[in-house]
Amino acid sequence: MTEKLHLSPDDEFPEDLSKVEDKDLQVLDSQVQRQLDYEYVAEGEPNPETEFRHYDLDEEFEERDKRET
């Protein structure tokens, strides 16, 4: 199975990121980052849903970092 490079605002997104495994979370973060980059270039600003997903992912990574220390 080939992973998508971008995760558009219409694509499914997990409701509870705490249940996503580390590797899958990193892939998801990469997809959302690529989508953000695309939106800035193509549309001049990010879609609010993509921006929210990016923020949500950042928060989850911060929470995981806190649990590890």
Side-chain angles (χ1 to χ4, degrees):
M1 179 175 129
T2 304
E3 293 287 335
K4 292 177 65 173
L5 294 179
H6 299 240
L7 190 70
S8 78
D10 296 328
D11 291 333
E12 284 190 39
F13 189 79
E15 286 191 35
D16 186 356
L17 291 175
S18 68
K19 296 181 180 181
V20 177
E21 294 199 28
D22 287 348
K23 178 184 171 200
D24 295 330
L25 191 69
Q26 291 172 348
V27 169
L28 193 60
D29 183 55
S30 180
Q31 291 170 322
V32 169
Q33 185 61 52
R34 284 188 184 108
Q35 182 65 27
L36 265 178
D37 293 345
Y38 167 79
E39 290 171 5
Y40 275 115
V41 170
E43 300 165 18
E45 62 183 17
N47 180 293
E49 181 64 22
T50 304
E51 207 168 29
F52 172 77
R53 289 174 174 186
H54 185 252
Y55 176 78
D56 208 22
L57 283 159
D58 283 349
E59 280 192 330
E60 181 59 30
F61 279 118
E62 285 180 26
E63 284 301 312
R64 289 182 187 206
D65 284 346
K66 288 178 187 174
R67 287 192 294 251
E68 290 178 8
T69 56

